[in-house]
Amino acid sequence: PCLFPSTVHRRLIVSALIPENIEELVAEYKRIWPLMPRLHAEVSKLADKNAIRACGKRLHLLGNVPGGKQTLVFEDEKETDFFQDYVNYMYQPRGMSLVRQLRNRKRYAEGSDEQNMLELMVQARFSLFWIRELVPVGGVVAVDVVTGEKLFILDQTLPQQGVTGVLIALRVFPFKKVWMHTGAGLPLGHIDDAAGFQPLNCQMSIKEEEQLNRDTFLRWQNDGRDQD
């Protein structure tokens, strides 16, 4: 039978995930984070009407207006943020996301913070994460529910919110041997029974990732809002 690690073993695992230069990493994260909304805004400019309509339809966000036309209808800012994140990363005409399109245009100088971040952002992947431990200096230790991978994810807000045990949807990408997320997270519930938690231990194709991304949003729309 699969036995969940003892408390001592769990703490050893957590400690191994937290880099020794954590304060230096957090300082760099704070410096670079303001670029994210600016870069996402530039990526969003590449989304044409077809992209907006297709993604709105997939996420059930199209509503009718007088005259028989359809437009995007959002209930709150979280829906708006998640929709834009989905468009930027999951709308992939000819197999290329909008983030990758901006990266490939080389709009920013080689070696600039902007271009370096885009090189990392094209590696982003969506999944569900169980928050195992909070690291007050600036992050969380989480388990990817799909792959089983344990990650240290930089974040300034989650450690202050007492989210240990929370199941959350995030899009993460590698950053200096740890991880960042794109900013659009959806809380989905709480896992209280750590001993009964078992990840799927599998790898997703791009198609499966998109399906999980879409299904997660629709699930949250239907019954997950009370987790916010």
Side-chain angles (χ1 to χ4, degrees):
C2 295
L3 300 177
F4 201 81
S6 67
T7 299
V8 172
H9 189 198
R10 287 201 304 270
R11 293 200 175 278
L12 287 174
I13 293 172
V14 168
S15 298
L17 290 171
I18 302 173
E20 293 183 0
N21 62 336
I22 180 64
E23 293 185 358
E24 178 183 333
L25 271 176
V26 170
E28 178 63 5
Y29 169 76
K30 289 179 178 179
R31 184 187 74 83
I32 212 75
W33 179 253
L35 283 181
M36 292 295 291
R38 302 210 311 260
L39 288 172
H40 281 148
E42 290 301 309
V43 172
S44 298
K45 293 177 182 178
L46 302 180
D48 58 17
K49 292 181 179 180
N50 291 332
I52 300 301
R53 181 175 178 79
C55 294
K57 183 177 181 180
R58 291 177 193 171
L59 299 180
H60 298 184
L61 291 171
L62 291 179
N64 294 320
V65 296
K69 294 183 179 181
Q70 289 188 316
T71 188
L72 290 172
V73 178
F74 300 110
E75 289 193 19
D76 53 39
E77 186 176 349
K78 191 175 287 290
E79 277 195 353
T80 306
D81 291 345
F82 195 87
F83 172 77
Q84 200 59 68
D85 189 75
Y86 179 90
V87 174
N88 287 348
Y89 291 90
M90 288 281 92
Y91 182 71
Q92 300 188 13
R94 298 174 297 281
M96 186 178 297
S97 70
L98 301 184
V99 169
R100 188 172 294 277
Q101 288 181 40
L102 183 62
R103 190 283 301 266
N104 289 352
R105 293 187 179 196
K106 303 291 184 182
R107 180 177 301 176
Y108 305 102
E110 193 71 28
S112 65
D113 286 338
E114 291 85 354
Q115 192 64 24
N116 287 342
M117 285 301 293
L118 287 170
E119 294 290 346
L120 299 175
M121 290 160 64
V122 297
Q123 303 175 56
R125 60 181 178 85
F126 179 88
S127 196
L128 309 181
F129 297 91
W130 175 49
I131 306 298
R132 282 186 56 168
E133 189 131 348
L134 308 180
V135 182
V137 70
V140 297
V141 173
V143 180
D144 187 324
V145 173
V146 178
T147 68
E149 185 179 3
K150 301 172 184 66
L151 311 176
F152 177 71
I153 304 173
L154 290 161
D155 188 279
Q156 288 295 292
T157 303
L158 292 175
Q160 314 305 321
Q161 295 179 338
V163 294
T164 303
V166 164
L167 181 67
I168 188 170
L170 293 169
R171 194 181 314 280
V172 300
F173 59 90
F175 178 77
K176 296 184 180 294
K177 298 185 179 181
V178 293
W179 297 80
M180 285 177 61
H181 64 82
T182 59
L186 291 179
L188 300 171
H190 200 279
I191 299 176
D192 296 312
D193 182 14
F197 170 75
Q198 291 293 334
L200 297 177
N201 294 317
C202 63
Q203 300 294 324
M204 290 187 291
S205 66
I206 293 296
K207 184 177 181 180
E208 290 170 332
E209 180 183 337
E210 188 279 326
Q211 186 69 54
L212 177 64
N213 199 159
R214 190 187 339 164
D215 289 349
T216 298
F217 179 72
L218 297 178
R219 173 187 168 191
W220 175 81
Q221 276 186 316
N222 291 331
D223 55 25
R225 290 180 184 274
D226 58 350
Q227 303 297 333
D228 290 359

